[in-house]
Amino acid sequence: MKNETLRPVDRQVIALEVNGERTEMLLPVHKTLLEVLREDMGLTGTKHGCELGECGTCTVLVGGKPELSCLVLPIQVQGQAVTTVEGMAHGSQLHPLQQAFAELGAAQCGYCTPGILLAAKSLVETNPAPTRDEIREALAGNLCRCTGYSKILDAVSLAASRMG
Amino acid sequence: MLRLPRFRYLRPKTAREAASMAAELGTRAMFVAGGTDLFPKLKRRQFEIDTLIGLDFQSREIHDGGAACVIDAGVTLSAASRDAHLNAMFPGYAQAAGLVSSPPLRNAGTIGGNLCVDTRCNYYDMTYEWRKAAGFCLKKDGDICLVAPSSPRCWAVSSSDTAPMAMALDGWVILAGPDGDRELPVAALYRDDGIEYMAKRPTEVVTGLRLTAAPNTRSAYVKLRRRGSIDFPIAGAAVAVALDGDTIAGCRIVLSGVASHPLEVPAADEFLKGKRADREILKEAADLAAKPAKPLDNADLSHFWRKRMVHVVVEQALEIATTSTRGSMVKLSQQ
Amino acid sequence: MKVVGKPLPKVDASAKVTGRAIYADDMLPPRTLHCRILRSPHPHARILSIDTSAARRIPGVLAVITGADLPVKFGILPVTQDERALEHEKVRYVGDPIAAVAATDEEIAAAACDAIAVEYDVLEPVMSIDAALREPKDERIQDYGGPNNIHKLVALEFGDVEGGFAHAETIREDVFFYQGNTHLPMEQHSAIATYLDGKVTLWSSTQVVHYVHRALSKVLELPMNRIRVIGAAHGGGFGGKTDPFAHEIIVCKLAMLTGRPVKCTLTREEVFYAHRGRHPVLMWVRTGVAKDGRITAMHFRTALDGGAYGSYGVASTFYTGALQTVTYDIPAYRFEGCRVFTNKPPCGPKRGHGTPQPRFALELHLEKIARDLGLDPVELKRRNFVQPNTRTVNWLRVTSCGLDECVDRVMQASGYATREKRIGHGMGFAVSTYLSGAGTAIYWNDMPHSEVQIKVDRGGVTAYCGAMDIGQGSDSVLATIVAEELGLQPADVRLVTADTDTTPIDLGSYSSRVTFMAGNAAVEAARKMRAMLVEATAAKMGCEASAVEVGDGRIGDFSFEEASVLAEARFGTLTSAGSYTPPRIAGPYKGSGVGPSPAYSYSACVVDLDADERTGLVSVNKIWIAHDVGRAINPLLVEGQVEGSVYMGLGEALMEEQTFRKGLHKWPSMLEYKSPTFLDMPEVQTFIVETVDPEGPYGAKEAGQGPLLPVPPALCSAVYDALGVWIDEIPVTPEKVLEALRRKSKGEPARYGPPMFPPIPYPPPIKVEPPPKDLDHASAAAI
Ligand SMILES: Cc1cc2nc3c(=O)[nH]c(=O)nc-3n(C[C@H](O)[C@H](O)[C@H](O)COP(=O)(O)OP(=O)(O)OC[C@H]3O[C@@H](n4cnc5c(N)ncnc54)[C@H](O)[C@@H]3O)c2cc1C
Ligand code: SF4
Ligand code: FES
Ligand code: FES
């Protein structure tokens, strides 16, 4: 079954816009956005926990909306802005969400944090004053094993109130 | 890291072109829309293909024509779940779309892909290495069914949330083939077979879903799953009820997660016709609806319990559709 | 205190929220090779042959190794050195590693694994405790241990147990089962090794750089000074990264063979096979109580399903009997424990290591006794609470104890006593305790358990410690303590941690030991440094050292930077060191090494839920938890640990289970192994109780594990409150609730749980004389 490994690789030049920077790269089409970000672009802030769409760890923004980068091909997102956790801060100024997560201890091991920050960013941009239940709904695809979610809810609320 | 197999990626510009490519390549190729169903399966080596035909050209509009409405196949589940028109006219459909998996998945998964989503089984939706250790099964690479070893067929479960709702609403799918377009009732899209679960031709692309609002018809979808998010349905009820005052003029109930196809339950539909929508009647109808459901031990939780729960999801869906409230219903999960 | 007790951000917070923390899988040095491991498809089989020739021929494959390349056995405990990095004789569970490939990319490595041909002689698998107690059909799994597939049997008796039962007014027996489950850290295990100048360097996602260091030295047959182990940023452990693992050894070997960096990141499925998670434990408990509800004697039996290897299992077995006495004053106590081998991934330590299972049984058992006697369960438990500054019947030394206060807090906040009684709604209560670090090391030695060095150089402070921050915030605790003593802010302290080349030893992040032990070492090192700074400053100021005030970045009349220059001029290079060795408080009997801790944390919990008669579904509304942490060095971190523990306890109580079907892990995926999402987690109200422990740093005790323990029993007690049925087995699934209700309606016992405890050939118990109960603190510390 693994003889597909011996097949030739289909490489295509793919134009990506990641964190506001445009690049064209020659990429194997079967590499997921997750792999390309981490392995070809050095953007290792995007993490992974299953690679099957089951945990949310790999969440990035595509056109401002959270998507699972383990289930997206770069070729499918050409022409759309991709945002990773590396693109959240303004220069050396943390994004209010990052600031709130740091202040309230919402990142313990920090492994789920990049994905959750991005999902939260998309939420507060469309709903500037989300209720706790709305935050839960929006982040329901992102598992965290450390925090029990409480501090994350607090941090998103705090950031939203500061941004509002 | 689990990775995709090597493949070529073709980028047709129209559905017709995509269909022609599929006709030419046969079983070596598959369509891909959002990829949220296909990519995990490719990573687990559940399909052997060397070419993907990208449906990236698909338009993503919801064409609101008053009572009738066409949803382009490329519309994402999250767009469908939030659409004001759908929520007003076909609330059950919007609910079903909004209950698929999790928010980030719904931003990529399409309604077309959701109609075509592969049947599921926890002996089959496993990695290549796991399946090799368990012994391959009928659906892929093997010659017996591990759930029902004496059975000649595969019992993998239809797990789409929106397909049963589209059926209950008497929806039609619009198909584009290499030689032309046609429309089919959604009900005619499926087969009671875990392997050959789709009745459309493999070369045909789903380009849209046509829903037509029947007068005084209300719809609802209730989904049972272990967690409030991420999980597939382990039992679900889609209902569309036409009301004449508080009498049920017509009703369609379709179940998800309990058979290899979205399961229609005509006996319950018949029973309800002409009856008043009170609690006892709904309960009786739910019992009738649960009868043909045959969950097997190939999804989460025990099949005995899932079978019992079919009564509950049907009853709740009927109640929501007939009264538009959730009342004091049991929380099935934190939805 | 200036910084201790303040809710300051963690020192690594910015790195984590910006994606700049480097986890092991984030490293990709030039020319890195990727490793994949071929694993057994059989639960139990002898290996007849392994043919790697086809794999070696695949272009891009640089090395293929098998067990013959790494024959030396290892294991975390000295008494169970039963694992090999790669097995070439026999496989014992689906997922047991057999061969490994290093290739230029991961796809090629995976294809090469698939091309390795292995011939097996398949043996009958042993998949349950019952099967393991019977004579094996083909052969036993391990060739050591007790009869059949028994791994370990222990039997201890403290005080006059028969006499205690004879004096009891009522005696009750119950049987419970706690299903196994796994840690499921979000980060899959990952390790990357390089080899240069005869020296191996390994970066790994581990909780215990020191133990990995030791295992590598043994298996690679290299002296420890030729090996460097560095803990990469850590994506979650919960006990799951506390053993040395095959992949860590394999990447080192492959790096040595190829001369290139080699990385191995486990897939999620492989993480389920690496496991070392919660043991499934079957339990039987018999307790006698007097009329007033006071316990007169207790007899506790456990049977642990250990999986295929030893891991921490011997310790886990003792732990299932050790801490019952640390919450309740039990005057006479017999414990019989048994661990069996089965053909499943090995179990080991998960958050609460070996104690959540007996805690579950004990709390429910006492609740049933209370109802038998017509007493309020909270009151019955309270009457039996241990008192501070006592020794338990099994010689455990209890110093600070905030049990009563914890109970008061959750009782008041939850309104438990005045709860609304109606069918379908219930509240439940439980308490627990946990260690602040094990009093004895895993391998016998006289050295300190933790050491900290501090260097001050031109105003900059660096603290060095082998401790590994696994997300719990141990780096922040170290920085806070050093900053407190030197009058600085935590952000002023640079940290070098978890690197066996540059940091002094710390045994690692397990058994909740880091804050307590590394914290005490840091206090000592920092106080020595402070003394030098003060002495030099006093000399310059011409005053007594006692007149020099330290704080707010100043030492006396000088800024910290000026003071450090003065001190360096006076003493030369400014370094100091501190260490911590726990007091020798273990009792005088074999097996007494498991259970003693310099201090115990305490928790109390109330769960409020709705449970539905028709569906069996349980929906938790709210959880109140109070935790006696001694002192919260950083309350934010303590709350985070408590909330995370409650989350994990709730997952175990309701949905998490590691189950098997036909010899295979039933669902090694994040979709099917159910971990609660945002929507499944109720609001949690946390109360921090501070009892200021006499030996903890500033009085601190543990927070990371204890609060998990009361959640499962409190949940089951709430289900009883709601529906009148006992679920004596977790997870509490709706099917079990319905089955219990069905039995109740038939007039059968209203419970779901194991029917009986199997006969186990325990040896006659070792009889141990209990110690004097009261303990004045001065003499206790001297023991
Ligand atoms: C963790 C997880 C949880 C999930 N939970 C749910 C759930 O709860 N409920 C649920 O219903 N689904 C669930 N899914 C399945 C899936 O994500 C959704 O069904 C989604 O709608 C599929 O859409 P897609 O566009 O991503 O389809 P794809 O993955 O792109 O395609 C799915 C299948 O349909 C075919 N296809 C796609 N579009 C067309 C078209 N226009 N014409 C013809 N064939 C087409 C593809 O060839 C493929 O065979 C889940 C998936 C994952 C990974
Ligand atoms: S139902 Fe049977 S044949 Fe079908 S996927 Fe499951 S095990 Fe295979
Ligand atoms: S890595 Fe788990 S969803 Fe993508
Ligand atoms: S902080 Fe560790 S998984 Fe969320």
Side-chain angles (χ1 to χ4, degrees), chain C residues 88-388:
Chain C
H88 57 299
E89 293 174 348
K90 176 168 166 169
V91 285
R92 297 176 176 85
Y93 66 94
V94 173
D96 218 355
I98 297 171
V101 176
T104 47
D105 71 42
E106 208 176 342
E107 298 167 280
I108 295 176
C113 283
D114 202 47
I116 296 171
V118 186
E119 265 188 299
Y120 300 94
D121 176 11
V122 175
L123 303 169
E124 177 81 11
V126 177
M127 298 303 292
S128 67
I129 293 173
D130 279 334
L133 293 169
R134 289 196 298 270
E135 190 162 345
K137 230 191 187 150
D138 288 330
E139 61 179 52
R140 48 188 301 160
I141 297 167
Q142 294 283 358
D143 53 15
Y144 71 96
N148 300 329
N149 273 302
I150 289 176
H151 168 202
K152 179 80 187 168
L153 289 167
V154 299
L156 294 166
E157 183 169 328
F158 307 92
D160 179 9
V161 173
E162 288 319 314
F165 279 120
H167 287 118
E169 169 82 11
T170 357
I171 294 176
R172 186 184 166 98
E173 285 179 21
D174 285 298
V175 186
F176 298 91
F177 180 64
Y178 198 109
Q179 179 58 287
N181 50 55
T182 198
H183 320 83
L184 202 81
M186 293 310 295
E187 178 204 30
Q188 297 143 317
H189 305 44
S190 179
I192 174 164
T194 61
Y195 185 64
L196 188 68
D197 287 336
K199 224 186 134 170
V200 176
T201 303
L202 176 79
W203 289 263
S204 182
S205 162
T206 178
Q207 299 177 232
V208 287
V209 288
H210 173 65
Y211 294 124
V212 173
H213 196 198
R214 280 170 59 85
L216 288 177
S217 170
K218 184 177 183 208
V219 182
L220 300 173
E221 301 177 277
L222 285 176
M224 285 176 83
N225 64 20
R226 298 266 121 201
I227 301 167
R228 177 178 187 185
V229 181
I230 303 170
H234 203 278
F238 317 112
K241 297 171 180 170
T242 315
D243 286 58
F245 283 99
H247 67 278
E248 293 172 316
I249 300 168
I250 289 166
V251 289
C252 291
K253 183 73 185 178
L254 288 169
M256 290 167 72
L257 289 172
T258 59
R260 289 171 65 166
V262 179
K263 178 157 94 179
C264 181
T265 302
L266 302 189
T267 62
R268 179 52 62 184
E269 181 177 350
E270 291 179 294
V271 173
F272 281 94
Y273 299 146
H275 190 46
R276 320 290 157 148
R278 184 88 71 227
H279 285 77
V281 184
L282 190 57
M283 292 162 285
W284 173 91
V285 51
R286 178 167 190 255
T287 302
V289 291
K291 223 190 238 123
D292 63 356
R294 292 294 302 256
I295 297 168
T296 60
M298 183 180 289
H299 184 178
F300 209 101
R301 285 186 175 142
T302 62
L304 294 78
D305 181 346
Y309 293 91
S311 182
Y312 281 80
V314 172
S316 320
T317 310
F318 279 105
Y319 272 127
T320 61
L323 301 191
Q324 282 83 333
T325 57
V326 179
T327 48
Y328 301 112
D329 179 3
I330 303 169
Y333 179 55
R334 182 187 298 154
F335 165 60
E336 292 168 310
C338 167
R339 184 179 192 258
V340 299
F341 289 121
T342 51
N343 291 108
K344 306 180 197 174
C347 298
K350 181 185 171 192
R351 215 167 195 172
H353 190 189
T355 69
Q357 302 96 325
R359 178 57 52 189
F360 170 71
L362 178 59
E363 292 298 311
L364 289 180
H365 175 65
L366 290 183
E367 178 133 359
K368 293 182 187 197
I369 290 176
R371 290 178 199 268
D372 287 350
L373 292 174
L375 282 173
D376 169 32
V378 182
E379 181 53 31
L380 175 123
K381 289 181 181 180
R382 275 195 128 135
R383 284 186 197 167
N384 286 289
F385 279 171
V386 292
Q387 296 305 310

Side-chain angles (χ1 to χ4, degrees), chain A residues 1-2 4-5 7 9-10 12 29-30 34-35 39 51-52 66-67 70-71 73 76 78 137 140-141, chain B residues 1-9 11 33 39-40 43 45 49-50 56 102-104 107-108 128-129 229:
Chain A
M1 81 98 205
K2 292 264 163 70
E4 82 266 349
T5 337
R7 284 202 294 258
V9 177
D10 176 11
Q12 297 195 26
V29 286
H30 71 285
L34 169 72
E35 291 156 60
E39 296 164 3
E51 304 98 61
L52 295 170
E67 288 195 23
C70 69
L71 301 185
L73 298 180
Q76 298 174 309
Q78 294 192 94
E137 281 289 339
Chain B
M1 167 128 59
L2 283 177
R3 291 170 199 263
L4 289 165
R6 293 178 184 177
F7 49 68
R8 286 188 306 151
Y9 192 91
R11 310 185 71 193
F39 289 151
K43 288 184 181 186
R45 305 304 193 257
I49 45 100
D50 63 15
D56 310 297
S102 72
N107 285 336
Y128 171 77
E129 286 78 9
S229 176

Side-chain angles (χ1 to χ4, degrees), chain C residues 583-664:
Chain C
R584 295 199 186 287
I585 46 173
Y589 60 94
K590 193 158 182 273
S592 71
V594 175
S597 171
Y600 298 94
S601 75
Y602 289 92
S603 326
C605 170
V606 170
V607 171
D608 178 296
L609 53 75
D610 291 313
D612 181 51
E613 275 186 301
R614 180 170 178 209
T615 60
L617 286 164
V618 168
S619 163
V620 178
N621 303 315
K622 184 158 182 182
I623 296 179
W624 295 263
I625 181 114
H627 183 70
D628 164 21
V629 68
R631 161 144 12 235
I633 291 186
N634 182 333
L636 268 185
L637 299 192
V638 172
E639 283 167 18
Q641 287 302 304
V642 174
E643 288 155 2
S645 296
V646 169
Y647 166 83
M648 206 164 264
L650 190 64
E652 295 188 12
L654 284 178
M655 52 180 91
E656 294 185 37
E657 54 184 320
Q658 172 112 329
T659 45
F660 294 80
R661 179 166 66 183
K662 301 181 184 171
L664 266 85

